[in-house]
Amino acid sequence: MSGRSPRGGRGVAGAPEREDGRAARARGTRARIVAAATGLFTSTGYTVTSIGAIAAAAGVGEQTVYYAFGTKKAVLAAALDRAVAGDDEPRPTLERPWALDALADPDPYGQLRRQVAGAGDIYLRAAALLDVVRSAATTDPDLAEVWSANIRQRLAVQRVFVEALARKTPLPQGLTAEEAADVAMALLSPETYNLLVRERGWEHARWQEWAVTALTGLLTTLPAVPPPPPAD
């Protein structure tokens, strides 16, 4: 059963449905601001992009941007969240379908393939914006905080993936789970992705193939290429 009234008028909490419309308009406004900010941040940079420029690109007033987000840093954080997630749902990475599928895959090769594919989908959307944050973090304390939080989040995700992988196949002798998470974070980092794909011109598919092979070789004792299925 849904939580909506079957006849309209008022919802289950007795609030007028026009509030739902207002909320939808507010979400739409936030989405326009985030999209406009993303385009400006990645084309002209964070430092030179003003709230006024964001408002103009989004077709709203400056006060609307301040009301919705408060600060330019908050706009960037929202843009980064949207780019990484691919939507506006407040669902952590490890609760996303691709991550759940990777963790649940009983085949270690399958987990790593799903893991790399999920990271690749994120970087197709977010690599340029992540590079903006990384670059600006060296001179902007607010963005240094955003970048540090992003690193901590990525490391926490990789720890969970490594623990799942170690339950399916042994880690190489002498490699701790913490070190394995560090290795995975480095290989699947936006810095590495941007270096190979954006700077060196690798195709996205080539990066995926390389990442799966590298993770297999460094985090498992399995052959880098999975064996073919048995003949009938």
Side-chain angles (χ1 to χ4, degrees), residues 66-130:
Y66 283 115
Y67 180 79
F69 294 97
T71 64
K72 187 169 71 167
K73 172 192 168 185
V75 178
L76 177 63
L80 190 57
D81 286 346
R82 178 66 173 80
V84 169
D87 56 45
D88 295 319
E89 295 182 23
R91 187 189 304 180
T93 297
L94 291 171
E95 295 178 12
R96 296 275 164 176
W98 70 266
L100 293 172
D101 289 344
L103 293 170
D105 195 322
D107 178 11
Y109 289 115
Q111 175 185 323
L112 292 175
R113 283 193 296 267
R114 293 177 186 274
Q115 199 174 327
V116 169
D121 287 343
I122 290 172
Y123 292 147
L124 285 172
R125 298 187 299 265
L129 194 56
L130 283 162

Side-chain angles (χ1 to χ4, degrees), residues 13 18 21 27 30 44 51 57 61 88 92 102 123 135 137-138 157 167 169 171 187 190-191 201 209 215 227:
R18 67 174 179 273
R27 286 193 298 272
R30 284 178 60 90
T44 63
I51 290 290
D88 295 319
Y123 292 147
S135 299
T138 59
V157 168
R167 290 192 292 270
T169 188
L171 298 177
L187 281 172
E191 298 97 319
E209 181 181 354
L215 286 173

Side-chain angles (χ1 to χ4, degrees), residues 10-226:
R10 291 179 179 269
V12 293
E17 286 197 347
R18 67 174 179 273
E19 290 188 357
D20 292 336
R22 187 180 303 124
R25 287 193 295 276
R27 286 193 298 272
T29 299
R30 284 178 60 90
R32 290 202 311 277
I33 293 169
V34 165
T38 299
L40 289 170
F41 290 150
T42 54
S43 62
T44 63
Y46 176 81
T47 302
V48 300
T49 298
S50 66
I51 290 290
I54 294 170
V60 301
E62 286 189 41
Q63 285 304 315
T64 300
V65 179
Y66 283 115
Y67 180 79
F69 294 97
T71 64
K72 187 169 71 167
K73 172 192 168 185
V75 178
L76 177 63
L80 190 57
D81 286 346
R82 178 66 173 80
V84 169
D87 56 45
D88 295 319
E89 295 182 23
R91 187 189 304 180
T93 297
L94 291 171
E95 295 178 12
R96 296 275 164 176
W98 70 266
L100 293 172
D101 289 344
L103 293 170
D105 195 322
D107 178 11
Y109 289 115
Q111 175 185 323
L112 292 175
R113 283 193 296 267
R114 293 177 186 274
Q115 199 174 327
V116 169
D121 287 343
I122 290 172
Y123 292 147
L124 285 172
R125 298 187 299 265
L129 194 56
L130 283 162
D131 198 45
V132 168
V133 179
R134 182 194 60 78
S135 299
T138 59
T139 57
D140 189 312
D142 284 344
L143 290 201
E145 179 184 335
V146 172
W147 185 245
S148 294
N150 180 268
I151 291 174
R152 289 193 300 271
Q153 291 161 2
R154 283 190 274 129
L155 181 58
V157 168
Q158 294 305 329
R159 285 194 186 107
V160 174
F161 279 130
V162 162
E163 290 167 1
L165 184 67
R167 290 192 292 270
K168 299 164 190 176
T169 188
L171 298 177
Q173 187 174 5
L175 183 68
T176 68
E178 188 69 18
E179 291 168 340
D182 288 341
V183 169
M185 184 177 69
L187 281 172
L188 296 182
S189 70
E191 298 97 319
T192 301
Y193 181 87
N194 280 322
L195 175 65
L196 294 178
V197 176
R198 297 181 65 199
E199 300 296 332
R200 298 300 303 147
W202 284 27
E203 294 291 335
H204 180 79
R206 182 186 177 193
W207 169 84
Q208 282 189 282
E209 181 181 354
W210 168 82
V212 171
T213 301
L215 286 173
T216 303
L218 291 170
L219 301 186
T220 78
T221 58
L222 298 169
V225 178

